């Protein structure tokens, strides 16, 4: 993987990424110590990883149940037709919906897979009828409710 013109990611860059995935809030001094670098070279590497887009953002991960979002649903969506216009309409509309955490184009009998959260099943039903179902590009929605999530990873294996 290249970070910039002919500069390839090395072992130290990967160590930095592994540590930041574990704790994105650690100080540069703490990070530098963990990857056996001094502060200035470590900061330079972090800035290069950010500038190249390898590090895209820093966020706090929330527990959906702790904030009252107890239902997790995968919604398979089929569009009325496979056209650029309908896809753009759908994608821009669904990006505005707070309940939708992820939107992926998929192969097979459906066009999109949405990851959706809701307070409860009634809240999800309202969401489908009043928000998602109002998007005119959609011809069908098939929902799969997650009964139990065994694990959820946020760290990429690099």
């Amino acid at each position: 993987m290249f970070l910039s013109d002919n500069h390839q990611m090395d072992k130290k860059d990967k160590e930095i990424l592994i540590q930041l995935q574990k704790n994105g809030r650690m100080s540069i001094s703490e990070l530098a110590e963990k990857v056996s670098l001094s502060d200035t070279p470590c900061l330079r590497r972090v800035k290069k990883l950010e500038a190249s887009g390898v590090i895209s953002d820093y966020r706090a991960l929330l527990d959906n149940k702790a904030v009252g979002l107890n239902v997790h649903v995968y919604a398979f969506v089929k569009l009325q037709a496979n056209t650029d216009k309908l896809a753009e309409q759908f994608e821009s509309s669904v990006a505005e919906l707070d309940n939708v955490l992820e939107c992926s184009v998929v192969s097979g009998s459906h066009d999109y897979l949405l990851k959706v959260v809701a307070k409860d099943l009634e809240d999800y039903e309202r969401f489908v009828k009043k928000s998602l179902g109002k998007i005119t590009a959609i011809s069908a929605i098939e929902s799969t409710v997650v009964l139990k999530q065994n694990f959820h990873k946020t760290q990429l294996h690099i």
Side-chain angles (χ1 to χ4, degrees):
M1 175 181 296
F2 290 96
L3 297 178
S4 60
D5 298 338
N6 297 327
H7 182 266
Q8 204 164 13
M9 190 177 344
D10 63 14
K11 185 178 177 186
K12 286 290 180 194
D13 292 325
K14 289 180 182 179
E15 288 177 26
I16 288 169
L17 294 173
I18 288 166
Q19 292 302 320
L20 286 175
Q21 286 187 100
K22 291 178 184 176
N23 179 4
R25 292 181 55 152
M26 76 173 69
S27 69
I28 287 297
S29 296
E30 184 181 352
L31 177 61
E33 184 179 321
K34 288 185 181 285
V35 298
S36 302
L37 287 172
S38 59
D39 290 7
T40 302
C42 184
L43 179 60
R44 237 183 278 131
R45 285 176 177 264
V46 170
K47 293 293 183 193
K48 190 174 276 188
L49 290 163
E50 291 170 348
S52 68
V54 175
I55 296 174
S56 62
D57 208 350
Y58 296 90
R59 298 175 189 252
L61 295 175
L62 306 181
D63 181 304
N64 57 315
K65 289 184 179 182
V67 295
L69 298 169
N70 299 306
V71 173
H72 176 180
V73 178
Y74 288 104
F76 295 90
V77 175
K78 185 158 183 61
L79 299 184
Q80 292 179 10
N82 247 336
T83 66
D84 286 341
K85 183 180 177 184
L86 285 178
E88 288 172 17
Q89 177 195 353
F90 172 76
E91 290 171 15
S92 64
S93 296
V94 81
E96 299 297 319
L97 302 175
D98 293 336
N99 292 65
V100 179
L101 301 181
E102 295 177 15
C103 175
S104 303
V105 176
V106 294
S107 63
S109 59
H110 299 93
D111 299 309
Y112 291 89
L113 174 63
L114 305 179
K115 181 178 177 180
V116 182
V117 291
K119 293 176 187 170
D120 51 34
L121 289 175
E122 291 80 17
D123 185 44
Y124 179 70
E125 180 185 11
R126 269 189 305 279
F127 166 75
V128 169
K129 289 179 178 176
K130 297 187 184 292
S131 299
L132 190 60
K134 287 190 175 183
I135 300 173
T136 58
I138 297 175
S139 71
I141 303 167
E142 184 179 318
S143 300
T144 300
V145 176
V146 174
L147 299 177
K148 175 185 169 190
Q149 186 174 49
N150 291 325
F151 64 87
H152 170 77
K153 295 181 182 180
T154 60
Q155 296 178 16
L156 298 177
H157 176 74
I158 53 173

